[in-house]
Amino acid sequence: MNLKQLLDDKVTAAMTAAGVPDAQAVVKQAQRLEFGHYQVNGIMAAAKKQKTNPRELAEKVLVQLGDDVNLCLEVAGPGFINITLTPAFLAHTLQKLQPSERLGIDEEPGKVIVVDYSAPNLAKEMHIGHLRSTTIGDAAVRILEFLGHQVVRANHVGDWGAQFGSLLAYMDQLEKQGEKPSSELKDLEKFYQSASALFRTDETFAKKARNFVVKLQSGDEKCLALWKEFIAESTRHCQAVYDQLNITLTTDDIMAESAYNDDLPKVVEELKQRDLLVESDGAQCVFLDEFKGKDDKPLPAIVQKSDGGYPYMATDLAAVRYRTNSLNAHEVLYFVGTQQLLHLSQVFAVATAAGYISKEQRFRHLPFGWVLKTDGTPFKTRDGADVKLIDVLNEAVDRAYKLVEEKNPDLSPEDKKNIARVVGIGAIKYAELSKNRITDYIFDWDTMLSFEGNTAPYLQYAYTRIRSIFRRENISSRDISGEFHLTDEAEIRLAVKLLQFSEAIDGVIEDYQANVLCNYLFGLAGTFMTFYEVCPVLKASEPHRTSRLLLCDLTARTLHRGLNLLGIETVEQM
RNA sequence: GCGCCCGUAGCUCAAUCGGAUAGAGCAUCGGCCUUCUAAGCCGAGGGUUACAGGUUCGAUUCCUGUCGGGCGUACCA
């Protein structure tokens, strides 16, 4: 149930009845309190087209809308219609919403949607740069699944590139020296750096490394065994991060680059059959008119390199082919950084030309910016190394623990630990999700862990305040029944907010901007906090007490569900 | 050079296919805990929306140009 949509349909119909062709009501949530709850913005544009006076047209539309006891309608300004929902209508609508497990969110006919996200390079440990794709992608996955879609999580990890030569050569060397690589592998990042350093300084080692790449890709057994050992260890590292971050990805969702290995020659062959391939400087390329490089020269999509190797264009095309042909995806979402914009538009264009993508299948790149430090430079350590994601997560939990101890020293150590985990991790994820996806994002401990303002802890705290009310009287949320009676302004404002949850969800899905949901939840929590200050619940007389308990319960469930869809947990007290 | 993205309060960010007086938080200042958790609430100050034009009844939003920043621009991913 989407109130805005209902009103839009109603007003649009009234406009049509008033003689407006192709009527569009354009109903929005009102931007100011004095304008009511919703406003109709479409009258003025329609009047313009018809060359009539907008206020007069608005009046005509009002007549068509007729008497509706649920709505107060008013023509305002240059030709808006302001809509105020009556307390009785709000109470009635909440009454219907109250028992709903889904909080008024309709289930959609399920589509198969592949979500490509996280995708770390297994040669190294996950670093701060993976935070965005992983959290945003996982939120999208959770929301789409809640809406009833059949979501395929696709973790397109990098496990097949040239850098694995050095790593395998290094493992091999350690083994020959009688050492167990497994203990060295515990710090993957150090391992990677040691191997890379050898590659740069030791010519014999470098030769061996290159040799290992060739052996690996040609299926040498010993080499594959080493590789598998390495990948297994690296995968464990990733999973530890996902678990700590409360990400729904598991090892089953890994569809690695190497998995497409056998498909790569087929892709090249199919492109050739479609007459798309051109050899240029020894490389197999697809040239499409819309892609231009420097000096307006045609820009190729290189599918096979002059040395016979396959670049990631080939792998990505194979992935498209698999997702459409085998997974029968209706929609595929790529949560991949903005720097891949050209690459992915080439992938989609070539795949379309090759017939891998049909007209009904929708491929979308949902790009995002960089994670920066407070001084605006890339988020790296002093010596320019990537910051390990696991270290960042641990620091968040440590910081949160100190805060819990400060604010609520009487809690048990186990409770404190759990709260620190939920709050610390929530803070990191929310800081990320609550900002615009496209722009760069400044990672600032002080902002996200000050735990004030538009942060996860603020929302989590609002939730605990509600739970505390129920705990105090030992009431379960299931126990309360009765009717909504909305009299106080704070109650009415909370009621309207609660009814707008599905509008927020719809808003996120339009462009996968999770911050739309964050903004909604922050608004809901703020509205609740005000209500909490001015409307006593337990001490109120009936029927207000029951009505307020119902409002509290619905708010708690909405906050819980909303945070859950963002991949953020709640606690009962903090 | 060309292409894409970005530029909003001191800082971090909002602003729902163009809507009414551009909103929050942080920081600053002033109030509120014998009353359901003060990680809270209420209030004040703070803006030429980078700049210049244009379209429109109406522009942070659309168009053109300028400046500033980021990314990309043939065999790394």
Side-chain angles (χ1 to χ4, degrees), chain A residues 65-86:
Chain A
L65 281 166
D67 281 333
D68 189 333
V69 288
N70 297 321
L71 310 174
C72 299
L73 302 167
E74 193 180 17
V75 176
F80 297 97
I81 297 176
N82 293 339
I83 302 173
T84 306
L85 308 169
T86 63

Side-chain angles (χ1 to χ4, degrees), chain A residues 188-208:
Chain A
L188 274 182
E189 200 60 31
K190 230 188 252 169
F191 192 89
Y192 177 82
Q193 276 164 16
S194 307
S196 314
L198 272 177
F199 185 84
R200 281 193 306 272
T201 55
D202 185 339
E203 192 42 49
T204 340
F205 180 85
K207 200 179 267 177
K208 193 172 153 187

Side-chain angles (χ1 to χ4, degrees), chain A residues 31 78 115 142 155 209 254 297 310 318 345 384:
Chain A
Q31 305 220 334
V115 182
R142 288 166 186 264
N155 196 358
I254 291 178
K297 279 193 283 194
Y310 297 98
S345 58

Side-chain angles (χ1 to χ4, degrees), chain A residues 468-470 472-473 475 491 531-549 552:
Chain A
S468 169
I469 294 173
F470 287 84
R472 174 169 282 259
E473 298 270 305
I475 314 170
E491 293 174 308
F531 161 85
Y532 182 90
E533 299 285 336
V534 300
C535 295
V537 177
L538 296 172
K539 285 179 184 151
S541 58
E542 294 295 356
H544 303 290
R545 185 174 184 274
T546 296
S547 170
R548 286 175 184 175
L549 276 171
C552 284

Side-chain angles (χ1 to χ4, degrees), chain A residues 52-74:
Chain A
T52 58
N53 180 302
R55 283 192 66 104
E56 279 172 24
L57 180 58
E59 293 291 351
K60 272 198 212 165
V61 174
L62 273 196
V63 170
Q64 290 302 328
L65 281 166
D67 281 333
D68 189 333
V69 288
N70 297 321
L71 310 174
C72 299
L73 302 167
E74 193 180 17

